[in-house]
Amino acid sequence: MSHESALSPVEGIKTRSRLLRGTLLESLADPVTGALAEDDQTLIKFHGSYQQDDRDVREERRQQKLEPAYSFMIRTRLPGGVCTPQQWLALDALADQYANGSLRLTTRQAFQLHGVIKRELKPTIAAMNAVLIDTIAACGDVNRNVMSAANPYLSAAHAEALGWTRALSDHLLPKTHAYREIWLDGEKIEATEEEPMYGPTYLPRKFKAAIAIPPLNDVDIYSQDLGFIAIVEDGVLQGFNLTVGGGMGSTHGDTTTFPRLADTLGFVTPGQLLAAGEAVLTTQRDFGNRIVRKHARLKYTIETQGVDWLRSEVERRLGYALAPARPVRFEHNGDRFGWVQGESGQWHLTVRIEAGRIADRGGRNWRQALAAIARIHHGEFRITPNQNLVIANVADAERAAIDALLHAHGVDSGVAQSPLRLNALACVSLPTCPLAMAEAERYLAEFSGKLEQLMVGHGLRDVPIGLRITGCPNGCARPFLAEIALVGKAPGRYNLYLGGDRRGQRLNVMYRENIVEADILSALDPLLADYASARGSDEGFGDFVIRKGVIAAPPSVPLLHTASETQP
Ligand code: SRM
Ligand code: SF4
């Protein structure tokens, strides 16, 4: 077998695609089916969309000999999760006009629309672009939406980090004109085109980048392929620690796949950030595994070649040695809810959006509330990496009107909820995700309610314990960093993981495999009872189960302590 034929089939699709064009135009125009041609189903991901079908009705339609209920998920590219009120209103209108009546905030600070049918894909994407929101590279084997700390306190550093987030996103963006040709009726310039950074086959697999601003690790920096940890001294951004090779995804029962925490490579100045990002990305482009897709992320390249090899390859591309990493200290990876005042004197309201789903349901009319706020808001909206929302940059005089609009629509910031509920995450899962093995988003409220009852019984109602649920081990809600995680195995069955910390610096460990809800709750009950009576002051549940030997100590990030911490 030649090397060429051993490549993963997706490599062939990319090679033949003429820089992501494929036969997408023909597929979109085909009225006979709601689906795309097979290769185009891969290519459309690079344009920010996935073909899906409604799994709730899949069997019924099969029995009726109908094709599956195909529709498309559209994901935006929204560096740092920031959008204007006008953009919000445009997306809100599209949710009704073309999608399933809801907006979804993702764990990478983007929007998703679900349920868009094929013939309405183009008007939907065009309408997004009309308000300057594009979808290119939101999915596919490219650099994805770049995340940035959503902490509204550190206004000056945050603004600078956001600037670098946008610059990195632009720098690592594919240059193909295919997107404009297909969705925006752009001029056809294929003959003269090049893809200077990626080349014609793009990356071996998806690639994810984020910027964190300590002490907040809301972006879960150690789960990213490429990370920049801002080093801020006396309010001035000095540069960033460069991290590489984090990732969450794995396959049940396949020990060659695993979640991994990123390594810290060194320190870069702000002026070196873009080149450093490019050097890491192109190293992965050239050395990532293009044969076995499930080994194609940067984390496996590093596991195979070693972190020292990666550092020297990155330094060779940069033409200089990286400076040593600086000490960093993270305190937590959650959001802070309610109103806070930033350095500039403006106010920011973080609201809890359960599982990121913005809909009008059960008297809690989030969509109407946020649309009404967008009509009067002069600041911006920021999606957090925990699927919540910051209504940012509000003048003191305008706070009361925002509170009143929330109240009028039956919602609030959530501050009165238990910390468990406030911090819990769940991936989308069923009915749209084709890879889901169990419920996640639709199960979050029910499960967290039951766990909360157990905690109340043990006097732990106000103790923050991080819970994350995913419908499969791909890890879209970064479950392997949580203190308690449920990872879907089969309908109604989950693997139970314990032992993450609240700073996103330690992986958890599987405690029980393939169990149902009653067994999950009975497994947790005695541990919570013990935790309630024997925990140290400020000891997290994840730290506790390790100290007590309930699980073996899992991998964690080697800490570079600050000078004050290392002093006796
Ligand atoms: Fe994810 C695939 C949803 C963040 C790891 N992810 C999927 C797909 C597209 C299923 C598919 O391939 O057909 C899911 C679409 C469900 C739907 O109906 O909407 C999906 N992922 C999501 C979102 C919407 C979860 C959410 O509830 O918010 C997040 C969208 C982020 C965004 O705006 O770009 C999302 N996915 C993540 C994260 C978290 C992160 O990036 O910080 C991870 C873990 C980090 C990582 O990549 O290791 C993640 N998603 C995966 C994987 C495993 C990748 C791997 O190499 O291990 C898959 C499966 C794959 O790529 O084959 C996947
Ligand atoms: Fe789908 Fe699995 Fe990701 Fe959940 S974790 S959205 S089930 S791929």
Side-chain angles (χ1 to χ4, degrees):
M1 192 191 277
S2 73
H3 177 69
E4 181 67 18
S5 61
L7 292 177
S8 112
V10 175
E11 292 302 316
I13 296 174
K14 288 184 278 188
T15 309
R16 293 190 297 276
S17 76
R18 304 166 3 260
L19 301 187
L20 308 181
R21 289 172 176 81
T23 55
L24 269 167
L25 279 172
E26 293 81 344
S27 266
L28 290 169
D30 179 357
V32 176
T33 166
L36 303 174
E38 204 176 319
D39 286 6
D40 296 329
Q41 291 173 27
T42 294
L43 294 174
I44 198 167
K45 298 179 186 177
F46 293 77
H47 298 255
S49 177
Y50 278 73
Q51 179 178 309
Q52 304 183 317
D53 72 285
D54 184 343
R55 292 183 58 184
D56 284 348
V57 299
R58 194 185 270 179
E59 181 54 23
E60 183 187 319
R61 290 182 67 95
R62 195 187 62 77
Q63 281 174 12
Q64 292 171 353
K65 300 194 170 22
L66 294 170
E67 77 170 12
Y70 291 121
S71 68
F72 291 79
M73 174 266 275
I74 304 178
R75 189 183 286 168
T76 63
R77 181 176 69 96
L78 200 68
V82 180
C83 76
T84 65
Q86 291 68 32
Q87 290 173 325
W88 184 282
L89 287 170
L91 293 171
D92 180 75
L94 291 173
D96 272 341
Q97 195 177 356
Y98 297 122
N100 67 357
S102 75
L103 289 171
R104 180 59 155 68
L105 311 183
T106 76
T107 52
R108 294 196 67 76
Q109 300 179 294
F111 290 97
Q112 282 189 180
L113 292 181
H114 289 99
V116 180
I117 58 171
K118 187 171 84 171
R119 68 168 180 278
E120 292 179 344
L121 262 175
K122 188 169 166 176
T124 312
I125 292 177
M128 288 178 170
N129 277 269
V131 291
L132 305 180
I133 290 185
D134 67 41
T135 62
I136 185 159
C139 324
D141 297 344
V142 282
N143 178 57
R144 302 287 188 91
N145 195 41
V146 182
M147 294 210 280
S148 182
N151 183 357
Y153 285 114
L154 302 165
S155 309
H158 184 280
E160 231 177 318
L162 182 62
W164 285 112
T165 304
R166 288 175 166 152
L168 185 64
S169 177
D170 287 347
H171 191 68
L172 302 182
L173 205 60
K175 300 292 181 276
T176 175
H177 204 255
Y179 184 82
R180 265 162 287 165
E181 288 177 27
I182 293 168
W183 309 108
L184 307 174
D185 294 326
E187 187 195 347
K188 296 201 169 27
I189 59 157
E190 180 186 333
T192 57
E193 213 183 16
E194 277 187 7
E195 191 66 90
M197 192 183 305
Y198 287 101
T201 51
Y202 296 85
L203 297 181
R205 201 71 165 81
K206 57 174 71 163
F207 185 88
K208 298 179 170 180
I211 296 183
I213 309 179
L216 183 62
N217 189 19
D218 56 350
V219 299
D220 280 332
I221 200 79
Y222 298 106
S223 69
Q224 308 291 320
D225 294 270
L226 171 67
F228 293 96
I229 304 173
I231 306 294
V232 182
E233 286 170 11
D234 299 326
V236 179
L237 179 70
Q238 307 291 319
F240 303 88
N241 280 358
L242 170 63
T243 63
V244 291
M248 289 282 104
S250 59
T251 305
H252 285 313
D254 180 350
T255 52
T256 68
T257 67
F258 42 82
R260 184 181 192 278
L261 295 171
D263 296 290
T264 300
L265 274 196
F267 172 86
V268 293
T269 63
Q272 294 171 332
L273 179 144
L274 297 181
E278 180 175 338
V280 174
L281 180 139
T282 56
T283 301
Q284 167 62 1
R285 176 197 67 196
D286 298 342
F287 293 94
N289 187 332
R290 290 184 186 258
I291 297 171
V292 183
R293 268 182 83 73
K294 66 180 171 182
H295 296 156
R297 293 290 291 274
L298 177 61
K299 63 182 176 181
Y300 300 113
T301 314
I302 296 177
E303 286 290 319
T304 314
Q305 311 260 37
V307 71
D308 292 335
W309 168 86
L310 186 92
R311 184 184 290 102
S312 48
E313 184 61 31
V314 166
E315 289 178 342
R316 191 184 67 72
R317 286 166 196 243
L318 287 172
Y320 54 82
L322 292 167
R326 306 271 181 96
V328 293
R329 178 178 162 76
F330 287 114
E331 285 171 7
H332 67 105
N333 60 354
D335 292 335
R336 165 83 188 266
F337 295 88
W339 285 105
V340 295
Q341 194 170 22
E343 285 169 359
S344 65
Q346 291 286 88
W347 289 84
H348 312 279
L349 176 66
T350 304
V351 295
R352 166 68 180 161
I353 308 288
E354 193 173 69
R357 183 67 66 180
I358 296 183
D360 295 334
R361 286 180 190 157
R364 295 177 59 74
N365 297 328
W366 271 115
R367 257 196 68 206
Q368 290 181 38
L370 291 167
I373 289 170
R375 282 185 211 104
I376 62 157
H377 183 33
H378 297 106
E380 71 273 356
F381 292 98
R382 295 179 186 171
I383 301 171
T384 81
N386 291 304
Q387 303 170 323
N388 297 311
L389 189 69
V390 186
I391 302 165
N393 273 322
V394 178
D396 196 23
E398 288 166 0
R399 288 169 58 195
I402 289 178
D403 282 334
L405 283 171
L406 291 174
H407 185 70
H409 292 92
V411 292
D412 56 39
S413 69
V415 278
Q417 292 178 31
S418 66
L420 174 83
R421 280 181 184 270
L422 279 174
N423 292 306
L425 297 185
C427 71
V428 176
S429 196
L430 293 161
T432 50
C433 178
L435 309 177
M437 299 172 181
E439 296 282 352
E441 178 182 324
R442 296 194 295 196
Y443 183 45
L444 180 66
E446 187 184 332
F447 182 78
S448 47
K450 290 180 180 169
L451 183 56
E452 187 179 46
Q453 278 316 304
L454 279 189
M455 290 176 63
V456 168
H458 295 300
L460 296 171
R461 196 266 178 202
D462 295 321
V463 177
I465 296 184
L467 167 71
R468 296 180 175 181
I469 305 179
T470 58
C472 85
N474 282 312
C476 298
R478 301 184 287 272
F480 302 114
L481 293 166
E483 293 181 289
I484 300 176
L486 269 48
V487 174
K489 183 87 197 230
R493 306 188 79 89
Y494 298 85
N495 291 350
L496 172 63
Y497 287 75
L498 302 177
D501 60 16
R502 292 202 294 254
R503 297 178 294 278
Q505 297 186 155
R506 187 171 65 217
L507 293 176
N508 52 21
V509 170
M510 187 163 60
Y511 178 60
R512 293 279 185 270
E513 190 171 5
N514 198 18
I515 56 175
V516 297
E517 181 185 90
D519 297 333
I520 297 168
L521 295 171
S522 348
L524 290 173
D525 194 28
L527 299 175
L528 292 168
D530 200 14
Y531 177 60
S533 61
R535 70 184 192 278
S537 72
D538 281 342
E539 186 176 28
F541 183 66
D543 299 338
F544 178 79
V545 291
I546 293 172
R547 178 167 68 80
K548 285 290 200 150
V550 175
I551 53 160
S556 64
V557 176
L559 298 178
L560 296 165
H561 290 285
T562 56
S564 61
E565 281 180 298
T566 50
Q567 276 162 16

